[in-house]
Amino acid sequence: MGIVYQAVHQTIGQVVAVKILKPAISHEPTIIKRFLLEARAVIIAQHPGLVKIYDFGQAPSGELYILMELLEGETLGQRLARLGKLPEEDSVRIARQIASAMATAHYKG
């Protein structure tokens, strides 16, 4: 849905991630709604397993964006490429973290 860039917040100097909705789909109402709902859900849930959202909206150029915490580290895809498959205990731990974040998001509406 989006392209993520690393940036520096001009006012506070913090390194952040900026997710911008891809131009090819940025005019589809259902995609726009889903993109903004993603930001709202994370803000409302306030769960330690979810990225922190600092701001979201529409740039003067018309692009929709989400300004969020920049997370460093290995993606799940990179880890799977490196290991071939996850050890069972890692899989269970990750699944529990995802379930906890999803449950919190659903509980908070």
Side-chain angles (χ1 to χ4, degrees):
M1 281 183 63
I3 302 166
V4 180
Y5 298 97
Q6 180 176 328
V8 177
H9 191 289
Q10 290 181 337
T11 306
I12 60 175
Q14 182 175 359
V15 178
V16 296
V18 182
K19 183 176 184 179
I20 299 174
L21 189 60
K22 289 183 180 178
I25 58 173
S26 65
H27 301 291
E28 297 179 33
T30 55
I31 299 294
I32 293 168
K33 183 178 178 180
R34 183 174 157 197
F35 187 78
L36 295 176
L37 183 60
E38 173 187 335
R40 286 188 195 110
V42 171
I43 290 168
I44 291 167
Q46 294 184 0
H47 186 278
L50 298 174
V51 66
K52 291 180 181 81
I53 302 288
Y54 301 126
D55 193 14
F56 66 98
Q58 190 168 19
S61 61
E63 296 172 307
L64 293 169
Y65 68 89
I66 301 173
L67 182 67
M68 63 185 110
E69 167 185 29
L70 178 68
L71 300 175
E72 300 284 341
E74 186 177 44
T75 68
L76 181 56
Q78 291 167 335
R79 184 173 291 182
L80 289 171
R82 182 172 53 83
L83 297 177
K85 69 176 190 174
L86 291 177
E88 183 178 326
E89 58 273 8
D90 288 352
S91 298
V92 170
R93 181 179 45 78
I94 291 169
R96 283 185 175 151
Q97 291 172 353
I98 292 169
S100 175
M102 294 298 293
T104 300
H106 283 281
Y107 174 77
K108 293 188 176 182

